[in-house]
Amino acid sequence: MNASLRVNEVARHFNINANTVRHYVRIGLLNPPKDDSGYHRFNAAQQQRLGFKLGYLSTVISIIKKV
């Protein structure tokens, strides 16, 4: 993973909508720092955390669909 990515870059990396990433930031699920320009920047650890959470959500949704 790249050292530091903006919201759109993270969304593209994980193949999700950028608004989904912004929503996770708004509700506190993710807490990336902002750079000097005011953009959220995701370091490698935050990108890994997002990947884990997306994998978890995918698993939960697939279980719910089976019920």
Side-chain angles (χ1 to χ4, degrees):
M1 289 183 204
N2 295 338
S4 179
L5 300 176
R6 290 183 179 175
V7 169
N8 286 332
E9 296 166 324
V10 169
R12 203 172 313 122
H13 178 79
F14 287 103
N15 197 31
I16 59 174
N17 190 296
N19 287 329
T20 300
V21 178
R22 290 184 188 99
H23 176 71
Y24 291 161
V25 171
R26 268 194 303 277
I27 65 172
L29 193 58
L30 301 170
N31 191 20
K34 290 186 177 183
D35 63 15
D36 294 337
S37 300
Y39 292 101
H40 286 104
R41 301 296 289 201
F42 292 80
N43 63 28
Q46 291 155 335
Q47 293 172 50
Q48 183 178 14
R49 193 173 307 121
L50 175 59
F52 173 79
K53 289 176 182 181
L54 290 173
Y56 177 78
L57 290 172
S58 176
T59 301
V60 170
I61 289 170
S62 68
I63 290 170
I64 291 172
K65 284 181 177 180
K66 290 179 182 178
V67 173

